[in-house]
Amino acid sequence: MASSARNRISSGIGYLDSPSTLILVCVVATLSYLAPRLGGALISNPQMVWPLWPSCAILVSGLLLVPPRIWPILIPVAFAGFCLYDLQVGVPVGSIAWFILADTVQVLVAALGLRYCFDDLPRLNSIKALVKYSFFAVILAPSAAAFLSARGIRGDYWNGWRVCFFSEVLAFVTLTPAILSWITEGPAWARKPRAYHLEAAALTAGLVLFGYIAFTASTRSSSPALLYSLVPLLLWSALRFGSIGISTSVIVVAFLSIWSSVHGRGPFTEQGPHSMLPLQLFLVFAATPFMVLAALVEDRKLASRELALANDRLLLAMEAGTSVAWDLDVRSGRDLWFGNLQTVFGIPSDIRVGDAQDFIRYVHPDDRQRVSDALADARQDRKVYAPEFRIVRPDGMIRWLVARGKFYYATNGAPERMLGVSLDITERKLAEEAVRESDNRYRRIVETTNEGVWLLDSNLHTSYVNRQMAEMIGYESGQMIGRSVFNFYFPEDIGYKTQVLERRQQGVREQIEERLRRRDGSELWVRMAAIPVYKDNGEFDGALAMVSDITERKRTEEALRESEERFRLVANTAPVLIWMSGPDKLYTYFNKPWLNFTGRSLESELGNGWSEGVHPDDLERCLDTYTQAFDRRDEFRMEYRLRRHDREYRWVLDVGIPRFNQDRFFAGYIGSCIDVTDRKLAEDALSAVSRRLIQAQEQERTRIARDLHDDIGQRLALLVNKLEHLRQNASDLPAEVRSGVGELQKQTYAIATDIQSLSHELHSSKLEYLGLVAAIRGFCKEFGEQQTVEIDFETHDLPSPLSPAISLCLFRVLQEALHNSAKHSGVGQFEVRLWGALGEIHLTVSDSGAGFDREGARATRGLGLISMEERLKLVNGTFSIDSHPKRGTTIHACVPLGSEEIPCLAAG
């Protein structure tokens, strides 16, 4: 409470702004003027005799409530109020000067001394605090000030010193403790129950009543025995209300006694200028023992509260720690149990009183003898009683306890008391059991695992090996214990092993492969996962290794290395370029012919470095082909241009196939390349010949179509007209002749029609002027009428316009496909589809006829299939046939947009 009051007042005043500081100064100035006026009302001679000087006591109380940095402002203001009063009552200026000097010394000594001794506002609730307060405020400060203020009083110096000293002492004994008590304990006192307040009111009324009787109502001849009537009331205030009660009560008694004495009543009636001394001594010596009594009472209450708090803490700690304590009276056998009895013993109480046999009945039957022996040994040998045992609760649950107890002995050596505590260690016992089970499981695992376990001590000697480790090296487990680790290595490996163990001592964890020496001298290759082992203090304590036998793997790897060496020898002497890649698509190997061909180092080619030699126009297509085949794990074939060491690009045929290891896991690709530049040149020459032949064919088609249309067709049309004219104007001819002329006219007209159709087939004017779609639709209609078949033509998403070369190529493919289908399918219905998608033009011609064997057709390809395939090659197109016997045929042509290989054909 003192701390909270001090902090509240200090924080409220310590950070005042200028207006608040001004208000505080005004309040202090006012109180400093009114306080001596109040004191003046209680004295007979305001200039000389002061039984109680309140001003300094009140000022010190105020200074203790504010930070010291405000003191230089408040002290001069307060002294100004003192001086104003002294001047008004006629005190000489010289005396005022001595009084101000004395007050300065007194206020500073008391305030600084109390602030130094007390962290918070002084609370006089203990003898120690009362002694500190009395030394600075009651003895040191008043005595020092009296030596100065006595010079301002006329008459004998020591009489003046005595008056000044006791007037200040009386103020610091009564006023200051009351002010400080009400500030520190007032809020708590206000929250007390109503009965407490009524009791305080009754005490105050009794003090006023008996004080009035003892001091005011009595005359000078009244017996001083009346003063004893106040003792019970002061005892009441000290015992029930503490320092706040006794300080307040003393103020009431002091006010009544001083007022009565000034007015000539009571046992301390004024008889001379210094007759206030008996009253002052009475008040000081009456207040002091009761204040000491109040301090003792509050000190005892505080100790009782701390004892109760300690007991509560002990009980809480015992409950939290599931422990109980006992207090055994050996002579009577009375045994007091307290603590968490519910959890430990199943007793629904915090305290139990019984006898020693009650405890023994709770002990597990198998542990009773051991507990009894431990009690007897502790009693006889005067040592600590500390067994671990089990108890059985009434509900049958078993709990483990560890006890710590001690016997206390009388002067004759007989034990008279035993105190102790029992802690529930059931959880620890269960954990220990779990650890034992875990250790057993670990040992079973270690002994049955396929791996070896090898543990070394700090001197690198074997401290433990499991059966598997010993069998690997050909020893029994016990034969390896205590032997240096170097005994199991070949002499030429010891230097390397020393370096490895030095890394272990440096705290390095690692997996290594190394060679051990078996007992028979043969080598054992192992893989070790080794870690350092440390003590609790961080000191190196050895190493632990998990060991696997990899001798067979090593042999396999050696055989694989030999196989790879043979492969590399063959690959480097083969007349082809060979490469290999891993499962990450990166190239991992190139044979010597490849490196000789490219003129680059192996390091430059590995990974994706090989792609730097691919022609820029072929790189994207090459990588796409490789990546797509890689993702599907399919074989691939591709042709691209690769830069030779002389900077010339050569055409190569690259064939790659996926490879798998012995476990059928994908391991990457292996491929070979051959130089096909000569073949490509021959193909280009053949393609040029084919191009020229097709160009010549288209030119010849155009010429024949033009001759048929413009010459023969026109002459046949003229002949038809003349025959018609002859038939109509030859009425004198016989009927048979006219009939023959008519028949000749019809035949001639049919020939003219066929020649016109042949001309259109050889050269389509619709293709030239209306585009591919109109030409195909017209051709399908004419062809269907000529061949008496149904042709279903559909088109969609076709880009416009198409290049003349592509249009002509697809139109010729359609013509050839429909002729073949009409000739070989044996059906009268066909489907023609033309569409565009993803930068390509697609054309399909389908029937549901007889079909044919694709393998046989590929071996004996006719001119029609060859013509279609060659035409599509000239525009970078592709050609495919999907046909099965009795399930129809589909011819599929695909041309990429932008193909302009034969622009001259557009004029055909």
Side-chain angles (χ1 to χ4, degrees):
M1 180 60 69
S3 177
S4 62
R6 172 68 173 276
N7 292 336
R8 181 172 62 253
I9 295 171
S10 296
S11 62
I13 298 178
Y15 299 97
L16 292 173
D17 52 12
S18 297
S20 299
T21 304
L22 182 60
I23 294 174
L24 179 63
V25 168
C26 294
V27 171
V28 171
T30 303
L31 291 177
S32 300
Y33 175 74
L34 294 178
R37 289 194 65 85
L38 177 62
L42 298 177
I43 61 176
S44 58
N45 184 359
Q47 297 183 7
M48 302 299 292
V49 182
W50 288 84
L52 185 147
W53 173 248
S55 300
C56 290
I58 296 175
L59 179 58
V60 169
S61 301
L63 292 179
L64 293 176
L65 298 176
V66 298
R69 65 185 182 86
I70 303 180
W71 291 3
I73 301 175
L74 298 184
I75 292 176
V77 170
F79 287 169
F82 298 167
C83 293
L84 179 61
Y85 172 77
D86 289 340
L87 291 173
Q88 287 180 349
V89 298
V91 178
V93 175
S95 298
I96 294 176
W98 284 109
F99 293 159
I100 293 301
L101 180 61
D103 291 344
T104 302
V105 172
Q106 181 174 231
V107 168
L108 291 177
V109 170
L112 292 176
L114 294 178
R115 180 170 287 274
Y116 172 78
C117 292
F118 295 92
D119 294 333
D120 279 315
L121 288 176
R123 290 196 63 191
L124 308 181
N125 56 354
S126 67
I127 296 299
K128 184 177 180 181
L130 189 60
V131 169
K132 292 179 180 179
Y133 174 81
S134 299
F135 176 75
F136 285 102
V138 179
I139 298 175
L140 184 60
S143 61
F147 284 107
L148 297 175
S149 58
R151 294 187 178 276
I153 299 177
R154 297 174 184 176
D156 183 64
Y157 174 80
W158 289 108
N159 287 332
W161 183 92
R162 184 180 58 200
V163 170
C164 293
F165 174 75
F166 282 107
S167 64
E168 297 292 351
V169 167
L170 186 57
F172 279 103
V173 168
T174 57
L175 292 178
T176 303
I179 294 172
L180 296 177
S181 297
W182 277 105
I183 291 175
T184 57
E185 301 178 22
W189 192 89
R191 292 192 296 269
K192 295 288 186 177
R194 179 178 297 180
Y196 190 83
H197 294 161
L198 293 176
E199 182 181 358
L203 172 63
T204 304
L207 277 174
V208 172
L209 176 60
F210 285 96
Y212 178 80
I213 295 174
F215 298 112
T216 304
S218 61
T219 61
R220 296 182 182 181
S221 59
S222 298
S223 173
L226 291 175
L227 298 178
Y228 294 105
S229 62
L230 300 175
V231 173
L233 297 175
L234 294 176
L235 286 174
W236 184 6
S237 64
L239 296 176
R240 285 289 294 155
F241 300 98
S243 60
I244 189 174
I246 190 60
S247 60
T248 305
S249 300
V250 169
I251 289 177
V252 173
V253 172
F255 176 80
L256 291 174
S257 61
I258 294 173
W259 187 85
S260 300
S261 178
V262 168
H263 292 81
R265 304 185 67 84
F268 303 105
T269 302
E270 185 175 341
Q271 297 177 354
H274 306 296
S275 61
M276 283 296 174
L277 180 60
L279 175 61
Q280 290 174 330
L281 293 175
F282 166 75
L283 292 175
V284 170
F285 289 107
T288 300
F290 289 107
M291 292 183 68
V292 172
L293 177 61
L296 289 173
V297 170
E298 292 199 8
D299 202 3
R300 185 177 181 85
K301 288 181 180 179
L302 180 61
S304 299
R305 286 194 295 268
E306 290 180 351
L307 179 61
L309 181 60
N311 290 333
D312 291 341
R313 289 173 179 169
L314 176 61
L315 289 175
L316 289 175
M318 296 177 69
E319 290 177 0
T322 59
S323 59
V324 296
W326 75 88
D327 184 353
L328 173 64
D329 187 336
V330 177
R331 295 178 180 177
S332 65
R334 179 179 178 273
D335 194 5
L336 173 65
W337 301 357
F338 57 93
N340 195 353
L341 301 178
Q342 175 67 49
T343 301
V344 179
F345 290 97
I347 299 173
S349 175
D350 292 335
I351 298 176
R352 175 187 176 94
V353 178
D355 54 36
Q357 293 302 317
D358 287 344
F359 167 70
I360 296 298
R361 283 192 290 269
Y362 276 95
V363 178
H364 193 282
D366 296 342
D367 298 341
R368 288 176 183 172
Q369 186 61 44
R370 180 157 48 87
V371 172
S372 299
D373 293 343
L375 281 170
D377 291 343
R379 179 172 181 171
Q380 180 177 354
D381 299 338
R382 299 196 176 193
K383 63 182 182 180
V384 175
Y385 165 74
E388 292 184 2
F389 55 91
R390 292 165 293 176
I391 59 101
V392 182
R393 298 192 343 172
D395 58 6
M397 181 182 294
I398 296 177
R399 309 288 295 184
W400 274 94
L401 299 182
V402 57
R404 292 292 183 276
K406 181 180 179 181
F407 280 95
Y408 293 86
Y409 300 86
T411 55
N412 59 1
E416 60 180 5
R417 190 178 187 185
M418 182 184 186
L419 298 178
V421 176
S422 294
L423 179 64
D424 190 327
I425 59 171
T426 305
E427 298 299 328
R428 192 195 78 186
K429 283 291 185 178
L430 294 177
E432 291 175 353
E433 183 64 26
V435 169
R436 282 194 296 271
E437 287 292 332
S438 177
D439 288 343
N440 293 334
R441 286 195 300 269
Y442 171 75
R443 290 186 176 275
R444 288 194 296 268
I445 292 172
V446 168
E447 293 298 331
T448 57
T449 183
N450 292 327
E451 292 186 325
V453 179
W454 196 350
L455 182 63
L456 303 179
D457 60 20
S458 58
N459 297 320
L460 304 181
H461 289 74
T462 302
S463 60
Y464 173 78
V465 291
N466 66 344
R467 178 177 54 82
Q468 288 77 7
M469 184 68 243
E471 290 178 354
M472 285 184 196
I473 307 184
Y475 290 87
E476 296 291 335
S477 299
Q479 294 174 337
M480 294 182 64
I481 302 301
R483 300 184 63 177
S484 171
V485 66
F486 299 112
N487 292 340
F488 307 101
Y489 285 84
F490 290 94
E492 58 269 25
D493 297 337
I494 290 179
Y496 161 76
K497 186 59 181 178
T498 301
Q499 297 176 358
V500 171
L501 291 174
E502 288 177 354
R503 293 200 301 271
R504 208 72 64 246
Q505 292 174 338
Q506 295 169 2
V508 177
R509 299 166 171 243
E510 59 183 341
Q511 289 192 4
I512 56 176
E513 294 182 1
E514 58 185 17
R515 185 177 62 156
L516 299 177
R517 186 183 67 182
R518 286 195 176 101
R519 187 174 187 179
D520 58 6
S522 61
E523 67 177 14
L524 171 69
W525 279 97
V526 296
R527 183 184 68 249
M528 285 188 178
I531 61 173
V533 177
Y534 296 96
K535 297 179 181 179
D536 293 339
N537 60 3
E539 182 181 351
F540 178 74
D541 196 32
L544 173 66
M546 303 299 293
V547 185
S548 300
D549 186 348
I550 60 171
T551 305
E552 291 300 325
R553 196 199 77 187
K554 280 290 185 179
R555 292 172 180 170
T556 303
E557 290 177 352
E558 184 63 27
L560 181 60
R561 279 193 295 271
E562 294 177 358
S563 175
E564 289 179 350
E565 288 297 329
R566 289 193 296 270
F567 166 77
R568 293 178 187 275
L569 179 62
V570 173
N572 288 331
T573 57
V576 294
L577 314 182
I578 299 176
W579 56 266
M580 295 177 65
S581 67
D584 56 357
K585 300 181 182 178
L586 298 178
Y587 282 56
T588 59
Y589 171 75
F590 295 93
N591 69 342
K592 189 174 181 180
W594 177 292
L595 300 177
N596 293 337
F597 180 88
T598 60
R600 288 159 56 90
S601 65
L602 177 62
E603 291 74 14
S604 301
E605 296 289 277
L606 291 177
N608 288 324
W610 64 275
S611 62
E612 297 175 3
V614 179
H615 195 283
D617 295 342
D618 301 336
L619 180 59
E620 184 176 358
R621 174 177 55 83
C622 178
L623 293 178
D624 289 344
T625 302
Y626 172 71
T627 302
Q628 293 172 10
F630 200 101
D631 293 338
R632 297 191 303 269
R633 308 289 193 264
D634 289 342
E635 180 181 348
F636 67 86
R637 297 169 66 89
M638 59 182 177
E639 294 180 358
Y640 55 89
R641 285 165 288 182
L642 184 64
R643 188 175 60 232
R644 199 167 57 182
H645 59 84
D646 57 1
R647 314 301 293 178
E648 179 186 351
Y649 282 97
R650 304 285 292 178
W651 280 96
V652 296
L653 171 63
D654 195 344
V655 179
I657 59 173
R659 59 190 180 94
F660 299 88
N661 56 26
Q662 294 179 348
D663 298 329
R664 301 304 301 166
F665 286 108
F666 176 67
Y669 267 71
I670 183 171
S672 63
C673 302
I674 58 174
D675 190 336
V676 294
T677 305
D678 295 338
R679 193 202 73 189
K680 291 291 289 187
L681 293 175
E683 289 178 352
D684 290 343
L686 181 60
S687 177
V689 172
S690 298
R691 184 183 304 112
R692 288 194 293 271
L693 287 175
I694 292 176
Q695 290 174 355
Q697 183 187 38
E698 290 298 328
Q699 292 172 359
E700 188 64 19
R701 280 172 176 266
T702 303
R703 186 189 64 79
I704 293 173
R706 185 179 296 113
D707 289 346
L708 289 176
H709 183 273
D710 297 341
D711 186 11
I712 299 175
Q714 295 300 322
R715 285 187 287 171
L716 287 175
L718 180 60
L719 179 59
V720 170
N721 289 335
K722 287 182 178 182
L723 289 173
E724 176 64 23
H725 180 74
L726 177 63
R727 188 179 65 81
Q728 292 178 357
N729 296 325
S731 57
D732 55 341
L733 294 177
E736 294 82 359
V737 175
R738 289 197 304 271
S739 176
V741 171
E743 185 64 28
L744 182 61
Q745 179 190 6
K746 291 180 180 180
Q747 292 178 2
T748 303
Y749 180 78
I751 291 172
T753 302
D754 290 342
I755 288 176
Q756 185 181 14
S757 297
L758 179 60
S759 173
H760 290 168
E761 186 172 345
L762 290 174
H763 176 70
S764 174
S765 58
K766 290 182 179 180
L767 177 64
E768 184 176 356
Y769 297 107
L770 300 180
L772 179 61
V773 176
I776 291 179
R777 183 174 284 110
F779 178 78
C780 289
K781 181 179 180 182
E782 293 176 3
F783 186 82
E785 292 175 352
Q786 290 176 2
Q787 301 293 330
T788 318
V789 295
E790 294 182 6
I791 300 176
D792 181 20
F793 171 63
E794 292 183 3
T795 181
H796 61 86
D797 299 330
L798 195 68
S800 178
L802 289 175
S803 67
I806 295 176
S807 299
L808 179 59
C809 176
L810 293 176
F811 185 75
R812 294 302 183 203
V813 170
L814 172 69
Q815 287 178 322
E816 189 66 37
L818 283 177
H819 279 291
N820 285 343
S821 296
K823 181 178 180 180
H824 300 289
S825 67
V827 296
Q829 293 182 341
F830 305 96
E831 292 182 356
V832 177
R833 301 289 184 265
L834 179 67
W835 74 94
L838 300 176
E840 296 177 334
I841 305 298
H842 297 266
L843 172 67
T844 60
V845 179
S846 305
D847 66 66
S848 57
F852 58 89
D853 183 9
R854 288 181 294 175
E855 297 298 328
R858 186 177 294 110
T860 60
R861 292 189 298 173
L863 291 177
L865 296 178
I866 293 176
S867 174
M868 288 187 284
E869 190 170 359
E870 290 300 323
R871 282 182 177 275
L872 287 167
K873 282 184 179 180
L874 294 177
V875 291
N876 296 324
T878 58
F879 176 76
S880 64
I881 300 176
D882 184 14
S883 180
H884 301 277
K886 299 181 180 181
R887 289 194 293 176
T889 301
T890 297
I891 295 175
H892 184 192
C894 177
V895 179
L897 291 176
S899 301
E900 302 290 346
E901 290 294 325
I902 50 174
C904 60
L905 300 183

